[in-house]
Amino acid sequence: MPAEQFTHTSEETRMQSELSLLFYGREECAPAHSWGPALRDAFILHYIYSGKGIFRSEGREYPLSAGQGFLIVPDTLVHYEADADDPWVYAWIGLRGLHVRALLERAGLTAGSPVYAAADVSPFERFYAGLLEAREQPGGDLLVQAEVYRLLAALVAGAPKQSARANTPPPAREAHLSKAAAVIENGYSRKLGAEDIASAVGLDRTYLSSLFKNAYGVPLQTFLLQYRMRRARELLRNPSLSVSDVARSVGYPDPFLFSKMFKRVCGVSPTAYREQPEP
């Protein structure tokens, strides 16, 4: 059966900095079907419904079967292959966000410990169908996000006791990123630069930027720009707002500079974007 994959394109969900669902899918793999060795730029969590296969990461090999799953960590070289006689059927979700790494670590999932066994298979068995059903409902983007959190909660609940860290504070790195994200969310509409964000967090700008690079794949200044443009895309869907109104609303008093930056990030001018049909 060909792979099914859906991209989660809600503007509201793309703007969520804590956890964003990028895509999800399901596949009945052909015998010996494989992927890699290669890298991915997002956290991708797989769950195996049936069959078996091999997952390789950081020089280790993990034989896996139904009821188990594996995590691909960004920028980690991985390879996985379905069994030649009993190929696996699995589903996956792709995630990115400031809190994703910390949430997965609470479940005991890291690059060095990338596999899990579902303690209670029911949340995992139904999560893909739940995502498909949720996306068709009013407020589907919110329901889809709720399904993702439900799945992560099941992972944390089923984690070995020594790995679950629900009652411990987040690592300093995650706390700094979370605080920086709050500064951006509350201040993107004003004159706000990377230096201002670093000062509010109490960190050196270069160090904070490196944290964003590790978490998001882009430095702090680029993250701020992309965040503003995501917000701008949403505002441009409101016909009562002029391009100048939108520019000022995302921190650009100069509409010409805004249009230049919007085209750099989005590939089209604000006016051209506004004329495109909604996804």
Side-chain angles (χ1 to χ4, degrees):
M1 176 181 176
E4 297 178 331
Q5 177 157 303
F6 299 88
T7 303
H8 197 48
T9 57
S10 159
E11 291 293 341
E12 292 84 354
T13 302
R14 276 205 297 258
M15 288 166 52
Q16 293 179 2
S17 59
E18 291 186 4
L19 183 152
S20 293
L21 173 63
L22 304 175
F23 50 79
Y24 52 97
R26 183 179 187 275
E27 183 171 9
E28 296 180 13
C29 294
H33 169 76
S34 65
W35 188 90
L39 308 174
R40 299 298 298 268
D41 63 355
F43 291 93
I44 306 177
L45 185 71
H46 289 69
Y47 174 74
I48 304 164
Y49 292 105
S50 62
K52 55 188 178 180
I54 297 291
F55 176 67
R56 299 181 179 92
S57 176
E58 297 204 324
R60 297 184 62 185
E61 182 174 294
Y62 305 89
L64 300 173
S65 58
Q68 296 180 292
F70 58 92
L71 173 69
I72 298 174
V73 175
D75 301 321
T76 300
L77 189 67
V78 300
H79 173 256
Y80 48 100
E81 182 174 336
D83 188 78
D85 300 316
D86 185 16
W88 49 22
V89 177
Y90 53 48
W92 63 86
I93 54 174
L95 303 170
R96 187 176 293 145
L98 294 174
H99 292 178
V100 174
R101 188 183 300 272
L103 289 170
L104 291 167
E105 286 178 354
R106 284 177 57 181
L109 291 172
T110 65
S113 180
V115 304
Y116 67 94
D120 176 7
V121 299
S122 56
F124 297 88
E125 291 286 337
R126 66 171 182 261
F127 90 88
Y128 179 70
L131 289 172
L132 294 183
E133 292 170 6
R135 69 194 295 265
E136 301 299 330
Q137 303 299 315
D141 60 318
L142 300 177
L143 293 172
V144 164
Q145 199 79 354
E147 289 291 331
V148 173
Y149 276 107
R150 186 175 292 114
L151 182 67
L152 292 175
L155 277 172
V156 172
K161 295 300 181 184
Q162 64 270 25
S163 297
R165 302 186 299 160
N167 297 319
T168 61
R173 175 193 61 207
E174 304 299 334
H176 293 322
L177 289 170
S178 181
K179 186 174 182 180
V183 173
I184 292 170
E185 290 166 354
N186 294 324
Y188 73 90
S189 62
R190 303 188 299 272
K191 185 178 180 180
L192 180 73
E195 194 67 50
D196 302 309
I197 300 167
S199 177
V201 176
L203 293 177
D204 174 74
R205 172 182 170 172
T206 302
Y207 176 65
L208 181 59
S209 188
S210 70
L211 294 183
F212 271 80
K213 178 70 173 177
N214 290 335
Y216 268 112
V218 295
L220 175 58
Q221 188 67 43
T222 303
F223 180 91
L224 174 61
L225 174 63
Q226 291 177 347
Y227 186 93
R228 281 175 159 144
M229 296 307 138
R230 288 170 189 153
R231 179 61 175 152
R233 288 200 298 267
E234 182 187 48
L235 294 175
L236 285 167
R237 295 301 183 189
N238 184 342
S240 68
L241 297 175
S242 68
V243 171
S244 293
D245 292 335
V246 173
R248 287 188 292 272
S249 298
V250 297
Y252 285 89
D254 181 352
F256 296 103
L257 177 59
F258 165 71
S259 295
K260 177 182 177 181
M261 302 309 291
F262 187 93
K263 187 171 184 179
R264 178 185 297 178
V265 173
C266 303
V268 295
S269 70
T271 301
Y273 179 83
R274 171 168 271 171
E275 293 171 352
Q276 294 176 350
E278 291 194 47

